Amino acid sequence: MAQVVPDYFEPEGGAVLTTLLIVRDVDRSREFYERVLGATCIREREPCILRFRNSYIVINTEGGPTDDKPTVRAQAPADSQILSCAMNIRVNDVHAVYDQWRSRGGEFLTEPKDHGVEIRCYLRDPDGYLIEVGQGTGILETIGRAPRPAPAPI
């Protein structure tokens, strides 16, 4: 089945959900997402826009309030040990993705762990954002589905 990637700039149907990350160094973050996750850069800055599979990651720098958010400062996580949001990437073969992304320089907190309903592991990007990589296992049975055979890694 071919992947349908929505148009970021003019989404069919009127909307597309993306992930915005505020970072300290756009070049460092762009390189991480391209090298480790295999994302494709479609705009280099202000903001940087990366296509990742069927979605987009938008990367922008820290900064002060703007006219459309006059009381809000954009800031990268101050403490990577406190979780306020995380990117969650669902895959068909978490072990293959773990091996591939480690070979590209991804530093995981642990190897994939089986929690019965899913197998998951986590890595951080250069600014400390947590990225969960998970594979549904037992949870599929609870919704009446069997796991698919694992395809080639992403």
Side-chain angles (χ1 to χ4, degrees), residues 102-128:
R102 278 189 65 212
S103 75
R104 295 176 178 172
E107 296 179 18
F108 286 79
L109 279 59
T110 68
E111 70 279 353
K113 303 284 186 177
D114 191 336
H115 292 268
V117 295
E118 68 180 349
I119 303 167
R120 66 179 185 250
C121 54
Y122 295 86
L123 72 155
R124 291 193 189 281
D125 82 354
D127 281 275

Side-chain angles (χ1 to χ4, degrees), residues 1 3 5 7 22 43 49 81-82 92 104:
M1 174 198 286
Q3 259 192 0
V5 180
D7 185 317
I22 303 300
R43 181 181 166 102
I49 302 170
Q81 301 305 312
I82 297 174
N92 290 325
R104 295 176 178 172

Side-chain angles (χ1 to χ4, degrees), residues 25-86:
D25 182 332
V26 171
D27 294 332
R28 177 183 68 174
S29 293
R30 182 183 60 245
E31 190 273 333
F32 170 84
Y33 284 98
E34 287 177 318
R35 178 177 47 84
V36 177
L37 275 62
T40 303
C41 182
I42 61 171
R43 181 181 166 102
E44 294 223 0
R45 52 181 19 78
E46 297 181 22
C48 172
I49 302 170
L50 299 163
R51 184 175 57 241
F52 176 71
R53 308 291 283 180
N54 62 351
S55 189
Y56 294 90
I57 302 166
V58 180
I59 300 173
N60 216 346
T61 58
E62 298 179 312
T66 59
D67 63 351
D68 55 345
K69 49 181 180 17
T71 62
V72 178
R73 285 191 39 77
Q75 187 174 343
D79 183 345
S80 66
Q81 301 305 312
I82 297 174
L83 179 63
S84 61
C85 75

